[in-house]
Amino acid sequence: MKSERNGQEETDHREPLEQNQTEKQVSFTGRVLTIGFIGGLFWSLIGYLLYLLNFTKIKPALVLTPWVVADWKDQALGNWIGIFIIAFLSMLVAMAYKILLAKFKHMITGVIYGIILWGIVFYLLRPIFPALEPIQELGTNTVTTTLCLYVLYGLFIGFSISFEYDELTKARQEGH
Amino acid sequence: MHPKKEETPIHKKIAENEKFLKDKMGIGKSFDVGVRKMNILNKEVHIYYCTGLCDSEFIIMLLKELLEVDHEYRTSAKTKDVIKNHLAHQQVSTAKNLDEVIDRVLSGLIAVLIDGQNEGFIVDVRSYPGRTPQEPDVEKVVRGSRDGYTENIVENTALTRRRLRDGRLRNEIMQVGDRSKTDVCISFLEDVADPGLIETIRGELKAIRIDGIPMADKTVEEFLVKQGWNPFPLVRYTERPDVAATHLLEGHVLVFVDTSPSVIITPTTFFHHVQHAEEYRQTPMIGAFLRWIRFAGMLTSIFLLPLWLLFVLHGELLPENIDFIGPNKKSNIPIFLQIIFAEMGIDVLRMAAIHTPSALSTAMGLIAAVLIGQIAIDVGLFVSEVILYVALAAIGSFSTPSYEMSIANKIVRLILITLVFLFGVPGFVIGCTAVLLYMCSIKNLNTPYLWPFIPFNPQAMLQVLVRVAVPLSKVRPSIVHPQQHKKQSDA
């Protein structure tokens, strides 16, 4: 009687856990999205902190400027919303890395990816950010701080995704 | 792997053996090695020993037993078998060559050689001088087991085995050092630990060519991981058997080295150095709280001083609501130099505290705290804020659980302070970035150093940030590549 009940409990418990396991194997994309989200969240938080310490003139709310004109975007609320928007945009950035560069193992790929992103935001996309001054007028502090942030962000996204991809391919090779 | 040494087989004539052993071990020249000759069943029997490493009580009992053989048996009996049968000890093995005999005797075992036989017997009567297990000084807990590893490798593996009675726990022993022949043991769970990692460690250990390793685990570590000029500790040490057993269960590989109470845990990442057994002796909530306080302490120890110096040198950066920060009085010496002097002073104090006998340490503390600190401010050498922030940074580094890590953090802090002094904001941010990039690039035993932060792993990072309740942490960390992913069975 007792053993029967135990047996039933076993099957009850096992099923959801086994599902978990298969889910884990499929969800490389899910992991990439998580990495992107957390990466955007964390590094824009650091960016906000550095803005508060006057290291840089760029604040997370900058991402709002193309489509929000209301006053709140210049206050703390704007920055917090900006941080979350950056986190969501960062998921796209991570997906782009996954598609283009995931198979490059070395961490330098991520660093270069970060530098390229910085170039895109501060050169190519400058027209859509009316608040963004030209690079010459940003000053050394702002330029170095933002560049370093993008380098670390690129490293975070790139190295994480490449590492995950590498582990996955290794696991697959061993599996077959 | 070792260059094959010519081996001298045991000679049938015992006089030949004696001559060889006397020559090689210096019996008669070194006072601590000796031979006891006796006559049993009309055969000459030699017992070789090394005083101090073996237990005389046992040897006397063995000798008594052997002497009784002489009365009981007739001389025609098979001497060798009779003697082997009467070696009253559970660990008796046979030796075929004299080099093995030398190794064994110098490890504290005794060798019994019989005239007319080309085999000898080795009896394990070792008893090393050493202490009993005590609570390790650096890893104290409020509650929990108080036994710690000792300098004896056999006791250490036994303390581990007491916590893991698993037949799949493997303790592979080998000798390192051509002269010292130190015992080194690799421990792992055979069906959990990554076979590739075990193979790597085994290979690295076998490749060590050195005369001796009196500094034990530290020397082995330097052969195992390529340290170079990297200040960060690449392996974690523990002196607690419970911590070691926990890591074995997670799929880590441990390296025990005889004569050292610290055990090497591999592979190690940065975040292994920020954990402490105490967190796992408290409720998860308290454990997480302790850990966050510790993180705050560590961040303070790295970033507080450089940031403060930055705000002193570039007052315009200070946010409005904290603009009271910064020295109010003009000082005669540049703040940068004051910080460097104070930092050096703390290190000098720390070193002095290690070397000072405890009877004098109170006096030293008094001189240091009251005289130097207070009077340096009074005479205008130091600004009081410098003392405050340097002290905060020092306290922060004391809260780092790993001593090695706290010193590495100190180096980072000094580099950042210098960069801030030279280049201001760009120096600070580029310095931080460079240090992070460098730490990311460290790979020891194929493990990225900053995992699970970079490369990011959500589950493992959660385990670092909060102390998860044990029933809820069901899987082993993926970084050790465990053969079995789960540590709690499904049912």
Side-chain angles (χ1 to χ4, degrees):
Chain A
M1 180 71 189
K2 200 182 164 202
S3 64
E4 204 180 292
R5 204 174 56 202
N6 278 353
Q8 199 162 8
E9 268 178 11
E10 259 173 43
T11 48
D12 282 349
H13 277 279
R14 193 175 293 152
E15 265 173 45
L17 281 166
E18 264 178 358
Q19 270 179 354
N20 275 350
Q21 212 168 27
T22 45
E23 214 173 51
K24 232 172 251 158
Q25 281 160 2
V26 185
S27 65
F28 180 46
T29 313
R31 290 198 153 225
V32 168
L33 291 178
T34 321
I35 289 167
F37 184 80
I38 300 284
L41 195 70
F42 180 76
W43 292 108
S44 54
L45 268 174
I46 298 284
Y48 187 33
L49 180 72
L50 294 180
Y51 165 75
L52 291 178
L53 293 176
N54 293 325
F55 280 31
T56 167
K57 292 181 211 164
I58 311 290
K59 49 187 171 176
L62 182 78
V63 74
L64 297 173
T65 47
W67 52 78
V68 178
V69 277
D71 275 348
W72 55 262
K73 78 169 195 288
D74 292 325
Q75 296 154 2
L77 178 68
N79 284 313
W80 288 108
I81 292 174
I83 287 171
F84 275 94
I85 289 177
I86 291 174
F88 282 109
L89 288 176
S90 168
M91 289 159 85
L92 298 179
V93 174
M95 284 309 288
Y97 186 93
K98 181 203 158 195
I99 294 161
L100 297 172
L101 301 163
K103 57 180 168 294
F104 293 99
K105 249 175 93 174
H106 201 276
M107 57 174 253
I108 199 76
T109 328
V111 173
I112 295 169
Y113 189 61
I115 295 175
I116 292 172
L117 280 178
W118 184 84
I120 290 175
V121 171
F122 284 79
Y123 277 97
L124 292 184
L125 295 183
R126 208 174 68 77
I128 67 165
F129 297 122
L132 188 60
E133 297 166 67
I135 287 177
Q136 300 85 318
E137 287 163 36
L138 283 174
T140 339
N141 286 1
T142 301
V143 171
T144 46
T145 308
T146 49
L147 194 56
C148 283
L149 264 180
Y150 273 82
V151 162
L152 290 176
Y153 168 73
L155 175 76
F156 184 93
I157 298 276
F159 197 18
S160 304
I161 295 174
S162 294
F163 185 77
E164 202 72 45
Y165 180 79
D166 191 44
E167 295 274 290
L168 205 69
T169 35
K170 265 187 208 157
R172 272 195 195 139
Q173 275 164 3
E174 272 164 28
H176 285 293
Chain B
M1 296 287 285
H2 281 279
K4 203 74 179 162
K5 277 182 288 187
E6 45 184 306
E7 289 176 340
T8 324
I10 294 178
H11 205 280
K12 285 224 173 192
K13 278 186 193 156
I14 199 154
E16 295 284 323
N17 293 334
E18 190 190 351
K19 190 163 162 279
F20 182 86
L21 290 176
K22 269 197 168 158
D23 185 41
K24 287 277 172 173
M25 288 198 294
I27 298 175
K29 288 175 188 156
S30 298
F31 80 95
D32 59 340
V33 279
V35 54
R36 166 79 163 95
K37 297 176 189 173
M38 46 207 290
N39 223 313
I40 294 167
L41 304 177
N42 270 346
K43 290 272 164 65
E44 200 174 337
V45 175
H46 288 185
I47 293 165
Y48 293 89
Y49 59 86
C50 183
T51 344
L53 297 182
C54 44
D55 195 324
S56 292
E57 299 272 326
F58 289 155
I59 300 177
I60 292 169
M61 272 160 46
L62 286 171
L63 292 183
K64 273 186 184 161
E65 179 80 23
L66 285 180
L67 289 173
E68 269 167 33
V69 169
D70 207 28
H71 305 303
E72 281 171 25
Y73 288 81
R74 281 183 296 151
T75 46
S76 61
K78 286 183 171 177
T79 326
K80 189 177 114 184
D81 293 342
V82 171
I83 289 183
K84 184 176 186 185
N85 214 16
H86 281 79
L87 288 173
H89 195 280
Q90 81 274 20
Q91 286 192 34
V92 177
S93 58
T94 5
K96 293 249 183 231
N97 68 70
L98 290 170
D99 304 282
E100 192 188 341
V101 168
I102 294 178
D103 280 357
R104 294 299 173 159
V105 168
L106 293 182
S107 318
L109 295 85
I110 55 171
V112 181
L113 298 187
I114 308 155
D115 191 23
Q117 302 293 341
N118 58 357
E119 273 184 351
F121 299 120
I122 307 282
V123 189
D124 189 348
V125 291
R126 270 179 293 191
S127 149
Y128 290 164
R131 58 193 174 107
T132 48
Q134 285 165 335
E135 183 172 26
D137 257 349
V138 280
E139 290 170 280
K140 286 197 165 136
V141 291
V142 178
R143 291 191 201 289
S145 67
R146 301 257 190 271
D147 53 352
Y149 286 133
T150 64
E151 283 75 9
N152 187 333
I153 192 169
V154 181
E155 272 176 29
N156 292 352
T157 49
L159 283 172
T160 319
R161 178 71 81 178
R162 226 168 98 58
R163 284 163 172 83
L164 293 174
R165 291 168 175 161
D166 186 0
R168 291 159 289 189
L169 167 63
R170 295 283 180 269
N171 290 322
E172 280 185 18
I173 203 152
M174 60 174 77
Q175 271 76 40
V176 171
D178 292 334
R179 285 177 189 276
S180 73
K181 301 202 172 74
T182 313
D183 290 322
V184 176
C185 169
I186 314 175
S187 296
F188 53 90
L189 290 180
E190 198 183 31
D191 55 341
V192 177
D194 176 19
L197 175 68
I198 299 168
E199 201 45 56
T200 315
I201 293 176
R202 204 182 279 143
E204 294 279 355
L205 289 180
K206 280 191 178 149
I208 298 178
R209 289 273 161 282
I210 194 170
D211 48 356
I213 48 170
M215 285 300 159
D217 46 352
K218 187 65 200 163
T219 318
V220 170
E221 178 212 317
E222 280 171 29
F223 278 103
L224 208 58
V225 293
K226 313 290 175 267
Q227 186 84 34
W229 281 99
N230 172 11
F232 295 101
L234 295 184
V235 301
R236 180 179 174 190
Y237 287 104
T238 187
E239 295 187 29
R240 297 186 59 86
D242 46 3
V243 173
T246 310
H247 282 87
L248 278 174
L249 288 173
E250 279 186 351
H252 288 266
V253 178
L254 307 189
V255 180
F256 293 81
V257 182
D258 197 15
T259 70
S260 165
S262 325
V263 171
I264 301 174
I265 301 174
T266 61
T268 317
T269 66
F270 176 84
F271 294 99
H272 279 103
H273 295 277
V274 299
Q275 300 180 6
H276 193 277
E278 176 68 15
E279 293 154 5
Y280 289 89
R281 301 292 328 183
Q282 303 293 339
T283 56
M285 176 74 204
I286 304 296
F289 171 72
L290 291 177
R291 198 173 277 180
W292 276 83
I293 296 288
R294 183 165 291 136
F295 285 149
M298 290 179 71
L299 286 176
T300 311
S301 80
I302 302 176
F303 292 116
L304 185 73
L305 260 179
L307 270 179
W308 181 71
L309 178 66
L310 186 66
F311 289 135
V312 171
L313 296 177
H314 304 271
E316 74 279 3
L317 291 174
L318 265 182
E320 265 174 41
N321 35 10
I322 52 168
D323 59 1
F324 61 91
I325 288 174
N328 300 323
K329 277 188 279 182
K330 278 295 265 183
S331 56
N332 306 316
I333 301 176
I335 297 283
F336 171 68
L337 281 183
Q338 290 186 24
I339 291 179
I340 296 294
F341 287 152
E343 284 278 5
M344 277 174 60
I346 285 189
D347 265 354
V348 170
L349 261 180
R350 200 166 50 79
M351 276 183 241
I354 296 173
H355 304 314
T356 318
S358 50
L360 298 179
S361 60
T362 330
M364 198 195 71
L366 215 66
I367 296 173
V370 180
L371 297 185
I372 301 183
Q374 190 54 47
I375 295 178
I377 295 169
D378 287 348
V379 298
L381 274 174
F382 280 178
V383 185
S384 44
E385 272 187 302
V386 169
I387 306 274
L388 169 69
Y389 289 108
V390 169
L392 275 177
I395 295 290
S397 52
F398 291 145
S399 74
T400 316
S402 153
Y403 176 66
E404 291 89 351
M405 182 57 78
S406 73
I407 305 182
N409 285 346
K410 181 175 189 116
I411 300 285
V412 173
R413 175 167 83 227
L414 287 175
I415 293 175
L416 287 182
I417 289 173
T418 316
L419 285 174
V420 162
F421 173 67
L422 293 175
F423 305 112
V425 172
F428 181 76
V429 286
I430 292 175
C432 292
T433 310
V435 169
L436 262 177
L437 284 178
Y438 176 68
M439 286 170 80
C440 262
S441 72
I442 300 173
K443 260 194 153 189
N444 81 77
L445 300 169
N446 281 325
T447 311
Y449 197 49
L450 278 185
W451 188 91
F453 174 49
I454 303 175
F456 187 66
N457 182 313
Q459 292 100 329
M461 196 65 208
L462 189 72
Q463 293 266 359
V464 168
L465 289 180
V466 293
R467 182 293 222 202
V468 179
V470 174
L472 297 180
S473 52
K474 291 190 192 297
V475 294
R476 301 192 162 93
S478 65
I479 200 64
V480 298
H481 299 112
Q483 294 178 52
Q484 294 174 3
H485 196 55
K486 288 181 180 165
K487 57 180 171 184
Q488 295 183 36
S489 55
D490 303 348

